[in-house]
């Protein structure tokens, strides 16, 4: 087995909450992620999602809809060595609502650590925001990487 950071990384936050980090950043990768999710027995996820500008967000979200309980949209920020720009959260939220997501809202990055819904958490859409989310969730709890 080879473990690739940002590809189906799994953490246990507590006895009932699993966090999966996957940098699926296009329709093909989101489709593969959904296929992998179907191999494990879990309820729907609270999804923390961000994407770069120019991505097919509508198709990505359409694939995520059946496995999503709540959708939290975040934005990542450029660093000096990054030329990628995040898609605006309001644009992603508009697309999500048109697709039929019932519970969708903007989540500022400094509030990520407050996501504690008693639901499993899936973080996806871009590699660019995985570190921010990982750091926020690890700060809240002593999450440990797990293989399933």
């Amino acid at each position: 087995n080879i473990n690739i950071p940002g590809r189906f990384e799994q953490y246990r936050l507590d006895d009932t909450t699993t966090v999966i980090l996957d940098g699926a950043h296009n329709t093909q990768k989101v489709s593969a992620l959904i296929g992998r999710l179907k191999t494990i027995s879990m309820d729907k996820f609270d999804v923390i999602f961000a994407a770069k500008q120019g991505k097919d967000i509508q198709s990505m979200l359409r694939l995520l809809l059946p496995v999503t309980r709540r959708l939290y949209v975040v934005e990542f920020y450029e660093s000096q060595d990054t030329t990628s720009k995040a898609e605006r959260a309001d644009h992603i939220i508009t697309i999500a609502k048109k697709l039929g997501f019932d519970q969708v809202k903007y989540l500022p990055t400094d509030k990520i650590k407050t996501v504690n819904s008693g639901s499993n958490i899936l973080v996806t859409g871009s590699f660019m925001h995985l570190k921010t989310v990982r750091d926020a969730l690890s700060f809240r709890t002593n999450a440990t990487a797990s293989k399933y």
Side-chain angles (χ1 to χ4, degrees), residues 76-138:
F76 57 81
Y77 299 95
E78 291 182 74
S79 65
Q80 67 183 20
D81 45 324
T82 302
T83 58
S84 302
K85 293 188 184 240
E87 185 56 76
R88 291 185 343 266
D90 61 333
H91 180 68
I92 295 171
I93 290 169
T94 299
I95 293 169
K97 287 181 177 178
K98 286 181 182 176
L99 288 172
F101 283 83
D102 292 328
Q103 298 183 55
V104 57
K105 71 178 193 176
Y106 171 66
L107 184 66
T109 53
D110 64 338
K111 300 292 183 195
I112 290 170
K113 63 186 170 205
T114 66
V115 174
N116 187 7
S117 60
S119 182
N120 293 314
I121 300 169
L122 173 64
V123 183
T124 193
S126 174
F127 281 104
M128 302 299 292
H129 76 294
L130 293 185
K131 182 182 184 325
T132 302
V133 175
R134 185 186 300 113
D135 290 349
L137 293 175
S138 294

Side-chain angles (χ1 to χ4, degrees), residues 25-84:
H25 59 280
N26 59 40
T27 304
Q28 177 186 11
K29 295 299 182 188
V30 172
S31 181
L33 170 61
I34 299 303
R36 182 114 186 246
L37 289 173
K38 289 179 180 179
T39 67
I40 57 178
S41 177
M42 289 190 174
D43 293 326
K44 290 187 174 188
F45 291 85
D46 283 352
V47 176
I48 300 175
F49 182 86
K52 287 177 20 179
Q53 289 179 352
K55 294 293 182 174
D56 185 357
I57 294 167
Q58 183 170 334
S59 294
M60 293 167 68
L61 290 176
R62 187 177 290 119
L63 290 167
L64 288 167
L65 182 59
V67 300
T68 302
R69 179 176 171 210
R70 280 185 279 253
L71 180 66
Y72 295 98
V73 179
V74 299
E75 294 176 346
F76 57 81
Y77 299 95
E78 291 182 74
S79 65
Q80 67 183 20
D81 45 324
T82 302
T83 58
S84 302

